[in-house]
Amino acid sequence: MARSLVIKVTAGADAPERCNQAFNVAAAALASGVPVSLWLTGESSWFALPGRAAEFDLPHAAPLADLLGAVLAAGRVTLCTQCAARRGITVDDVIDGVRIAGAPTFVEEATAEGVQALVY
């Protein structure tokens, strides 16, 4: 069985380098043929909303909107249920292709056979 990645990103504009690393690793893995499930939690939850990734700026880094687009095109993006609720984000607010799911789904994905989970 091929390995896949479940990447949980907890950082947003509050920790831009850590945030960008998570998206960068997700996009690089997908480009290498590795299946990826990217979870937006904590401050990264805001990137589930249209236009928010385009507002993110980190010098010498790939644009976050491009990285998110790559993950949406070839992987899975999930917004944490509780994180969305705390920010008043609903399923009607998110970018097409982003799903909202909770801890049981994350645990199921992260503990599946052949999965490596990374947390940023």
Side-chain angles (χ1 to χ4, degrees):
M1 171 185 277
R3 290 194 71 165
S4 62
L5 285 176
V6 174
I7 300 173
K8 179 186 264 193
V9 54
T10 63
D14 59 326
E17 287 185 291
R18 188 163 33 109
C19 174
N20 185 264
Q21 287 171 0
F23 281 85
N24 211 4
V25 168
L30 285 165
S32 298
V34 177
V36 171
S37 176
L38 179 68
W39 281 73
L40 305 176
T41 69
E43 286 303 298
S44 73
S45 299
W46 296 113
F47 299 125
L49 298 176
R52 290 293 184 100
E55 296 171 2
F56 181 89
D57 183 46
L58 181 64
H60 310 290
L64 198 70
D66 292 351
L67 297 172
L68 176 58
V71 179
L72 283 166
R76 175 184 290 154
V77 178
T78 305
L79 172 59
C80 163
T81 302
Q82 289 182 13
C83 300
R86 280 190 283 277
R87 289 160 180 79
I89 301 171
T90 70
V91 68
D92 295 326
D93 299 323
V94 300
I95 299 167
D96 286 342
V98 173
R99 70 176 178 162
I100 297 177
T105 304
F106 176 79
V107 170
E108 181 180 346
E109 285 187 15
T111 59
E113 187 172 336
V115 171
Q116 173 69 50
L118 304 173
V119 179
Y120 287 88

